[in-house]
Amino acid sequence: MALDGTFSLFAFLLLCLLPSTAMENQTAVREFILLGLTHLLVLQHPLFVLFLLLYVTSLLGNGAILAVVLAEPRLHTPMYFFLSNLSCLDIFYSTVTVPKMLAGFLSGQQTISFAGCLAQLHFFHFLGSSEAMLLAVMAYDRYVAICNPLRYRLVMSPQTCLFLAAATWAIGFLYALLHTVMSSQVHFCGPNIVYHFFCDIKPLLSLACSSTHLNMALLNFVTGSIALSSSILTFLSYLYIISFLLLKVRSQECRRKAFSTFASHLTVVSLFYMPVLGNYMISSPGSPSERDMISTLMYCILTPVLNPLIYTLRNEEVKTALKKFLNRKFYP
């Protein structure tokens, strides 16, 4: 498959930087078998159609946000700069897992090379951790804009926005590289059936023939730290915003609209953070349960679909810009 070849190309570049142990593991287990979401044949094609529609919706929604923000000068503000970063992350994030899963629905089970498995693991955690931190940055941006509007341009300057965005991508990449390097040091001597729809760390480590205590400790501590600190910052920002609206804003109509928006934002944020914390801080190692896979679907497939709807397409400013953009495209 072309996708597996792409994963292998990226993984080859990563493996060139790793010790020879990684290459020894690759000769011991050359490929893994992804069992997917279900073994029931009657569900394969309906699930294929469902996830294909979700994937296409995610691509179209996030792609539309990127195109509109780039094309409309009025949207060149910190809020929409971060939203365009979120859309970019969501496109890549769902692309890491969904195409491979769709191929598995058609073939019954899907094989993936050792190098491709490492690459999928790396990019899934790179993009996922970057998104977790970006959601916290976006919540802080809204806190400054609403609770301290006079200093907003000073606090969220273009240089600050670029630094925050670059930091989220860079930290996410280094965090994922840590897990890729650690996973490459584990010895895989035979079992190669991954009880998941993609190569995640925990189901992969359950196949190891050597000790994985250090890997699991790092996974729980580092992943938990990133997810927990990002979620705390996000919820604290929204808590301060809600307190500000209750104490400072007198208009009932403004409060109602604001609380309606924040309820939607918090719903999407919760759908992302809660399953992540549950998967990597609470669940025990070993073969993933159905609950683990369902929770993974929530933050790697459902939230990329919901983010454009919740954060932007409900926004009148964005809808106006989108109509203008489409009119320019189809009626020049």
Side-chain angles (χ1 to χ4, degrees):
M1 296 294 290
L3 185 65
D4 193 38
T6 303
F7 281 142
S8 298
L9 176 61
F10 284 119
F12 176 75
L13 298 177
L14 290 173
L15 289 173
C16 288
L17 304 175
L18 302 179
S20 59
T21 315
M23 301 308 293
E24 292 171 7
N25 286 341
Q26 190 175 11
T27 58
V29 176
R30 295 182 179 275
E31 65 180 19
F32 294 98
I33 298 174
L34 303 173
L35 289 190
L37 285 175
T38 178
H39 63 278
L40 298 176
L41 294 179
V42 70
L43 295 177
Q44 300 286 346
H45 288 92
L47 287 175
F48 172 84
V49 173
L50 172 63
F51 287 108
L52 178 62
L53 289 174
L54 289 174
Y55 180 57
V56 171
T57 302
S58 173
L59 294 183
L60 292 177
N62 287 293
I65 298 308
L66 276 173
V68 170
V69 171
L70 289 173
E72 182 54 59
R74 288 191 303 114
L75 299 183
H76 294 174
T77 63
M79 181 177 77
Y80 294 109
F81 170 73
F82 291 128
L83 284 171
S84 62
N85 272 266
L86 181 66
S87 294
C88 189
L89 279 171
D90 281 338
I91 289 173
F92 295 143
Y93 194 35
S94 55
T95 300
V96 169
T97 57
V98 177
K100 196 74 176 173
M101 181 175 66
L102 292 175
F105 285 137
L106 296 179
S107 62
Q109 65 181 24
Q110 188 70 28
T111 60
I112 184 169
S113 67
F114 177 85
C117 189
L118 278 185
Q120 192 178 47
L121 180 154
H122 174 82
F123 285 102
F124 180 81
H125 285 271
F126 162 37
L127 298 166
S129 57
S130 298
E131 180 158 338
M133 291 181 286
L134 185 62
L135 288 172
V137 170
M138 291 169 63
Y140 176 73
D141 170 74
R142 291 298 83 208
Y143 159 72
V144 177
I146 294 172
C147 301
N148 203 352
L150 296 180
R151 301 191 65 232
Y152 180 66
R153 289 182 178 274
L154 178 63
V155 175
M156 302 303 293
S157 65
Q159 295 80 7
T160 302
C161 293
L162 282 172
F163 171 77
L164 290 172
T168 59
W169 288 79
I171 294 172
F173 180 84
L174 293 175
Y175 155 78
L177 186 61
L178 168 67
H179 286 307
T180 306
V181 171
M182 292 299 297
S183 298
S184 72
Q185 303 305 298
V186 175
H187 182 52
F188 297 98
C189 61
N192 69 337
I193 298 177
V194 180
Y195 291 88
H196 214 304
F197 60 88
F198 75 103
C199 278
D200 201 2
I201 293 179
K202 288 173 66 174
L204 186 64
L205 293 181
S206 69
L207 306 178
C209 300
S210 57
S211 174
T212 60
H213 292 302
L214 179 58
N215 300 72
M216 292 305 303
L218 285 172
L219 176 65
N220 292 331
F221 177 74
V222 180
T223 307
S225 298
I226 290 176
L228 195 59
S229 59
S230 298
S231 62
I232 289 173
L233 178 58
T234 301
F235 289 118
L236 279 178
S237 298
Y238 283 127
L239 182 62
Y240 278 115
I241 292 172
I242 292 170
S243 301
F244 178 84
L245 292 171
L246 289 174
L247 298 174
K248 303 292 185 181
V249 177
R250 303 300 178 190
S251 170
Q252 293 294 330
E253 182 64 20
C254 289
R255 283 183 183 177
R256 187 190 63 79
K257 288 182 179 179
F259 283 129
S260 173
T261 301
F262 290 135
S264 301
H265 288 190
L266 285 171
T267 299
V268 174
V269 166
S270 299
L271 285 174
F272 183 88
Y273 284 126
M274 297 308 175
V276 171
L277 291 170
N279 271 4
Y280 298 108
M281 290 187 69
I282 300 173
S283 303
S284 59
S287 298
S289 64
E290 290 183 5
R291 181 189 62 80
D292 292 328
M293 286 196 278
I294 291 172
S295 62
T296 303
L297 287 173
M298 290 173 65
Y299 61 80
C300 78
I301 296 177
L302 187 59
T303 54
V305 174
L306 293 178
N307 279 338
L309 300 174
I310 297 301
Y311 281 102
T312 51
L313 296 183
R314 288 185 56 186
N315 186 307
E316 289 299 328
E317 193 175 20
V318 175
K319 287 196 283 190
T320 302
L322 182 59
K323 288 176 184 175
K324 219 164 105 180
F325 175 77
L326 293 175
N327 286 335
R328 276 206 309 266
K329 280 289 182 184
F330 295 105
Y331 306 103

